[in-house]
Amino acid sequence: MVGSVHVNGSLNGANGTEERLDELRRLLGKSEGDLLKIVSVGAGAWGSVFAALLQDAYGHFREKVQIRVWRRPGRAVDRSTAEHLFEVINSREDVLRRLIRRCAYLKYVEARLGDRTLYADEILRDGLCLNMVDTPLCPLKVVTNLQEAVWDADIVVNGLPSTETREVFEEISKYWKERIAVPVIISLAKGIEASLGPIPRIVTPTQMISSATGVPTENILYLGGPNIASEIYNKEYANARICGSNKWRKPLAKFLRQPHFIVWDNSDLITHEVMGGLKNVYAIGAGMVAALTNESATSKSVYFAHCTSEMIFITHLLTEQPEKLAGPLLADTYVTLLKGRNAWYGQMLAKGELSPDMGDSIKGKGMIQGISAVGAFFELLSQPSLSVQHPEENKQVAPAELCPILKRLYRILIKRFVLCIKIMDMEICIL
């Protein structure tokens, strides 16, 4: 510490928080008494935590900022999850007291007994996320009407899975037709689509949003790890990068930065989004390797070497001027391979506790985004027009032929072959 400023540049606690808020308000042209409106669209683990971080940091400035979360209504909480929620609540005295003060505790008692049904938007208002029930958050302002949530929002956070981003933002575009001021959008989504014609190319979430809404790419940014949502909210030290135009990324990095959550900025938007999608692909394989080798450090390190080689090859192939793949980019991959829902999914597959036929939305975990990303990357890299020279054979091959891990994950997750397949000479049987 040097005075009230950390050596890494983040401001300490309340000192500077209001100044950062005022600085962003001025940049967005907000006048005195005019609320800065921030909404997180989507309430998965990361989207909810991101909104909760902002609420914790700035929510007490009620005359200056409004922070809300949109999620779809009607998602019921099953009884086993309600019972677990009750246990979590009673293990945390601060949460228990808060719910009692809000006269909300009784409904969790009744839900545990099966006397009433809880809903995901209802528990989120109490600070409990359906995809992350073991990590209570602060209470959040939840809106279930999409038009009400976004029509005059200044900053929109995309907390949706990449597979839902286009559809929801096409709906949002209907409510923005008469807008004068263009909003700023921060995308947290990690995944891609493959566009195969007329020229094969990737489509990232920020590109989906721009295409769906007409918001210029200058106003759309991507924020990525390395981080795990629950650990960030528990104030474990974390880093992130916000990528996009110079106009917005630097002031937003400053606004989002907290003592335990250090946000840097970078101009290379596409490379970071591509890596954000790829890391979920290879995390599934990492989970399989961990389960098959009883968490062997040697086997996992060998897998890490192989998968990062493929990731570097793919990223250099798909981005025109990729940033050097080191530091935070590889760290984001590392943390996802260690502890993320995609790695967990790979472990459950290898242990036979899940099967590909169960789909990509898993109870208590949410969307396993690596599955759709496997399909998108493989289909794109199988296009003959992207062929490259084989390093050992004198012939042109589709890039997918040089990505054996991706190829095998595609056979397991997308083709769903009922046979034994090898990843790095380790046999995986999908029954």
Side-chain angles (χ1 to χ4, degrees):
M1 295 286 294
V2 180
S4 63
V5 182
H6 288 268
V7 292
N8 59 24
S10 62
L11 295 171
N12 180 29
N15 295 330
T17 301
E18 188 170 9
E19 287 81 354
R20 294 202 301 275
L21 175 57
D22 288 340
E23 185 176 335
L24 187 62
R25 282 173 51 83
R26 285 193 295 272
L27 190 60
L28 286 162
K30 309 304 290 186
S31 59
E32 190 71 25
D34 187 11
L35 284 175
L36 171 63
K37 296 182 178 181
I38 303 174
V39 62
S40 178
V41 175
W46 188 206
S48 298
V49 164
F50 193 82
L53 289 175
L54 294 177
Q55 179 65 30
D56 280 339
Y58 298 105
H60 55 287
F61 298 112
R62 294 184 180 89
E63 296 180 356
K64 295 185 176 184
V65 65
Q66 177 193 78
I67 299 160
R68 303 193 294 178
V69 178
W70 171 82
R71 73 154 296 135
R72 293 182 179 90
R75 175 78 182 272
V77 178
D78 62 66
R79 184 171 174 180
S80 63
T81 303
E83 290 172 348
H84 185 53
L85 276 171
F86 184 78
E87 293 172 2
V88 170
I89 290 165
N90 282 277
S91 69
R92 292 277 299 268
E93 185 177 349
D94 58 328
V95 179
L96 178 61
R97 289 182 180 276
R98 185 178 79 205
L99 290 175
I100 292 173
R101 283 197 306 269
R102 292 163 60 95
C103 300
Y105 180 65
L106 182 60
K107 67 186 178 186
Y108 292 94
V109 177
E110 294 173 342
R112 180 191 62 134
L113 298 172
D115 294 337
R116 69 161 291 173
T117 300
L118 294 170
Y119 293 91
D121 55 291
E122 177 184 16
I123 67 171
L124 190 60
R125 290 183 174 92
D126 296 326
L128 299 163
C129 175
L130 186 58
N131 291 346
M132 197 174 54
V133 293
D134 291 312
T135 306
L137 309 173
C138 62
L140 293 168
K141 295 176 181 176
V142 181
V143 183
T144 55
N145 182 293
L146 185 58
Q147 182 175 4
E148 177 189 344
V150 303
W151 75 275
D152 62 345
D154 301 294
I155 298 176
V156 176
V157 179
N158 175 31
L160 298 161
S162 59
T163 48
E164 298 177 16
T165 293
R166 184 185 297 277
E167 177 187 353
V168 174
F169 275 87
E170 284 176 350
E171 180 71 18
I172 288 173
S173 69
K174 299 175 184 177
Y175 313 132
W176 284 352
K177 289 181 178 179
E178 297 180 5
R179 281 192 67 134
I180 298 173
V182 179
V184 174
I185 300 171
I186 302 172
S187 178
L188 310 179
K190 297 174 176 67
I192 69 155
E193 290 180 352
S195 175
L196 303 182
I199 299 173
R201 64 185 182 91
I202 55 168
V203 183
T204 66
T206 61
Q207 292 171 334
M208 297 176 204
I209 293 169
S210 181
S211 172
T213 62
V215 173
T217 53
E218 179 187 59
N219 278 48
I220 308 175
L221 302 99
Y222 165 74
L223 185 130
N227 47 59
I228 299 293
S230 61
E231 294 181 355
I232 290 175
Y233 196 73
N234 288 328
K235 291 185 167 47
E236 297 185 28
Y237 186 84
N239 284 260
R241 278 190 175 187
I242 189 162
C243 307
S245 68
N246 186 61
K247 177 181 179 181
W248 292 114
R249 72 174 192 270
K250 291 185 180 296
L252 284 172
K254 186 176 181 180
F255 177 71
L256 297 173
R257 181 177 286 198
Q258 298 183 24
H260 65 283
F261 183 58
I262 309 307
V263 181
W264 307 113
D265 68 275
N266 191 280
S267 61
D268 192 351
L269 174 66
I270 300 301
T271 299
H272 283 76
E273 284 194 283
V274 171
M275 285 289 281
L278 278 173
K279 72 182 180 65
N280 288 332
V281 167
Y282 290 97
I284 296 175
M288 293 177 175
V289 170
L292 291 166
T293 64
N294 196 28
E295 300 289 343
S296 163
T298 301
S299 296
K300 288 194 287 187
S301 66
V302 170
Y303 176 82
F304 186 76
H306 281 286
C307 79
T308 50
S309 293
E310 284 192 20
M311 292 173 74
I312 290 169
F313 168 70
I314 293 170
T315 307
H316 279 259
L317 187 70
L318 297 182
T319 57
E320 293 181 3
Q321 295 180 319
E323 181 184 346
K324 185 178 180 181
L325 301 183
L329 279 168
L330 290 180
D332 195 13
T333 300
Y334 179 68
V335 75
T336 306
L337 268 57
L338 280 179
K339 184 181 178 181
R341 74 184 69 179
N342 291 276
W344 170 87
Y345 178 78
Q347 286 185 315
M348 295 300 102
L349 279 183
K351 291 177 180 178
E353 296 181 27
L354 293 174
S355 77
D357 291 333
M358 296 172 70
D360 54 6
S361 183
I362 306 298
K363 174 187 169 184
K365 291 291 182 179
M367 186 68 68
I368 308 299
Q369 297 194 81
I371 298 173
S372 63
V374 167
F377 277 113
F378 184 84
E379 289 170 12
L380 179 66
L381 296 174
S382 298
Q383 298 305 302
S385 60
L386 296 179
S387 293
V388 295
Q389 185 72 21
H390 194 286
E392 296 176 356
E393 304 173 14
N394 187 26
K395 63 177 182 179
Q396 293 280 310
V397 295
E401 295 301 315
L402 302 180
C403 302
I405 299 176
L406 175 65
K407 186 175 181 179
R408 288 170 179 132
L409 287 171
Y410 180 80
R411 295 176 69 188
I412 295 170
L413 300 172
I414 308 302
K415 289 299 185 181
R416 300 179 184 177
F417 285 177
V418 185
L419 43 74
C420 292
I421 299 176
K422 289 184 178 180
I423 288 185
M424 273 176 36
D425 297 323
M426 288 172 283
E427 196 167 68
I428 299 172
C429 292
I430 305 299
L431 303 176

